[in-house]
Amino acid sequence: MYVLDNIINVTLKVIGWRSGTTRKILLYLSDAPFHAGGDGKIAGAVFSHDGKCYIRPTKDDPNIFEYPDYDAKLRDYPSVSLIESKLKENDIYLITAVTSRNLNIY
């Protein structure tokens, strides 16, 4: 799935945090660029990302997730500002580590 979509999923506590955690740090490592709001319009996405999480645990294993109600062809990627607001809203610190080739993108 896509980087910013997964950051949304983490901020909405679907994956979960240990209870009593005082500081939440999300470490993101990548050697690739990301897609952000507006990129999906080129492929025909007609709806902006609504900031909701669409992953759910599978019936067989609660540690494996799926996207049962998500139509990626119709919904655009989340914007950087949406990600920023969700991180702030949930008091999560995002640390990114990327290759020098993609440093200017992040």
Side-chain angles (χ1 to χ4, degrees), residues 9-19 21 24 26 55 65 92:
N9 296 336
V10 171
T11 64
L12 294 175
K13 302 173 187 161
V14 170
I15 295 170
W17 296 95
R18 187 172 24 171
S19 62
T21 303
K24 299 176 217 162
L26 176 59
I55 66 169
F65 295 88
I92 299 171

Side-chain angles (χ1 to χ4, degrees), residues 13-15 53-68:
K13 302 173 187 161
V14 170
I15 295 170
C53 177
Y54 289 93
I55 66 169
R56 300 287 177 259
T58 61
K59 294 175 186 171
D60 299 330
D61 187 343
N63 296 312
I64 298 176
F65 295 88
E66 63 183 355
Y67 288 82

Side-chain angles (χ1 to χ4, degrees), residues 13-59:
K13 302 173 187 161
V14 170
I15 295 170
W17 296 95
R18 187 172 24 171
S19 62
T21 303
T22 57
R23 214 168 254 158
K24 299 176 217 162
I25 298 173
L26 176 59
L27 178 60
Y28 171 70
L29 306 153
S30 180
D31 64 350
F34 64 88
H35 290 287
D39 289 348
K41 296 199 185 295
I42 295 168
V46 292
F47 301 112
S48 297
H49 198 285
D50 57 7
K52 295 180 182 175
C53 177
Y54 289 93
I55 66 169
R56 300 287 177 259
T58 61
K59 294 175 186 171

